[in-house]
Amino acid sequence: MKRLVVLTGAGISAESGISTFRDAGGLWEGHNVMDVASPGGWARNPALVLDFYNQRRRQLHTVQPNAAHYALAGLQQHFDTFIVTQNVDNLHERAGSRQILHLHGELTKSRSTKYPNRVYDIQGTELNLGDKCPGGYQLRPHIVWFNEPVPEISSAIDWVVEADIFLVIGTSMAVYPAASLINYVQSEVPVYYIDPNIPETPFNRPVIHIRKKAVEGMNLFRSEYLKI
Ligand code: OAD
């Protein structure tokens, strides 16, 4: 089986009703991104940060995977499929995809503020001040914030260098190191990019651009390029 490696961003979940980051003009659901997605924001106002992610978690219960998530899961019948996602939602899992790396963390998990490797499932939707890890330290959302390391990037690179086909869906390719993954794709491997907008920075390799939203773009990708 050929190996298909997919990099997804907020755009694949847009048609499920989750807003993207940069389309919202620097605001993320009405908040300054640095207030809710940085260690500085957490230090200044942890209650606000917890509340913000509690809202995102509640929203997750009201949205469903869309046809693009399901189409990707369906490709597992034809390819050894690996998904590297920048998204913190669980829509790929809920659509049935299995080999998934969450580069920027997961909404449904918390981690210890003292021991970053200690990650826990969140029961329900709420994480509050006073919720502590077994070691007695405050729990925080298991989200990679700005200026924080991205520990999963080395596993993602390992997948990308082995790709036979590389597919990018719904990301502005503006956030690093995620955006640098395309540089690890072998030169002879075809690269497809489904997104209605072209990023400002060109890539230093040929990329087949499918300028469509994720659902329509996935249909085209399957029929026109994979011929399945
Ligand atoms: P962005 O908000 O930067 O980019 C969203 C992309 O989705 C844009 O290129 C849009 O053109 C595209 N898009 C919008 N609607 C779409 C649709 N229906 N179908 C397909 N594409 C669509 O989101 P990301 O690139 O995912 O990090 O952002 C990367 C990271 O920046 C995020 O993971 C987050 C953010 O800060 C953290 O939270 C650490």
Side-chain angles (χ1 to χ4, degrees):
M1 242 187 193
K2 282 193 170 178
R3 199 175 255 243
L4 169 69
V5 180
V6 189
L7 173 65
T8 66
I12 195 168
S13 296
E15 286 164 274
S16 292
I18 301 180
S19 58
T20 62
F21 304 95
R22 276 151 204 91
D23 294 329
L27 293 182
W28 187 9
E29 300 284 356
H31 289 275
N32 180 320
V33 174
M34 295 314 267
D35 286 341
V36 293
S38 75
W42 172 253
R44 279 194 300 280
N45 194 343
L48 172 85
V49 175
L50 289 170
D51 181 56
F52 175 78
Y53 290 99
N54 288 347
Q55 287 178 41
R56 304 280 72 71
R57 232 170 271 120
R58 281 180 228 135
Q59 181 191 35
L60 206 49
H61 284 263
T62 70
V63 298
Q64 304 297 331
N66 64 52
H69 296 104
Y70 285 112
L72 268 186
L75 291 184
Q76 292 172 132
Q77 292 168 14
H78 305 270
F79 298 94
D80 196 8
T81 306
F82 296 83
I83 299 176
V84 180
T85 187
Q86 298 165 83
N87 299 343
V88 298
D89 65 50
N90 57 6
L91 297 180
H92 285 306
E93 285 87 348
R94 284 162 57 190
S97 288
R98 288 184 298 273
Q99 307 188 95
I100 304 164
L101 257 182
H102 282 272
L103 272 187
H104 294 161
E106 293 174 76
L107 265 181
T108 55
K109 294 184 177 168
S110 66
R111 76 164 99 121
S112 168
T113 44
K114 173 81 170 173
Y115 305 108
N117 293 334
R118 298 193 186 167
V119 175
Y120 307 92
D121 287 329
I122 295 175
Q123 307 302 327
T125 56
E126 310 298 296
L127 186 65
N128 294 307
L129 283 178
D131 290 345
K132 296 189 174 153
C133 70
Y137 295 94
Q138 175 67 43
L139 289 166
R140 56 164 273 185
H142 180 48
I143 305 283
V144 174
W145 289 328
F146 286 99
N147 307 322
E148 291 191 318
V150 183
E152 297 287 11
I153 194 70
S154 55
S155 305
I157 291 170
D158 289 347
W159 285 3
V160 171
V161 294
E162 299 280 333
D164 297 308
I165 304 171
F166 189 66
L167 170 64
V168 180
I169 310 174
T171 169
S172 58
M173 297 292 263
V175 170
Y176 286 80
S180 68
L181 284 172
I182 194 168
N183 301 325
Y184 292 89
V185 181
Q186 305 289 325
S187 56
E188 72 283 5
V189 168
V191 174
Y192 302 89
Y193 188 175
I194 301 171
D195 195 302
N197 299 308
I198 308 167
E200 286 161 25
T201 325
F203 303 108
N204 55 3
R205 61 170 301 132
V207 172
I208 299 157
H209 208 112
I210 303 172
R211 287 181 185 80
K212 302 282 181 198
K213 291 183 177 180
V215 171
E216 195 186 346
M218 275 304 293
N219 281 337
L220 254 168
F221 175 64
R222 283 183 63 118
S223 57
E224 296 280 313
Y225 296 102
L226 299 179
K227 309 278 186 208
I228 54 176

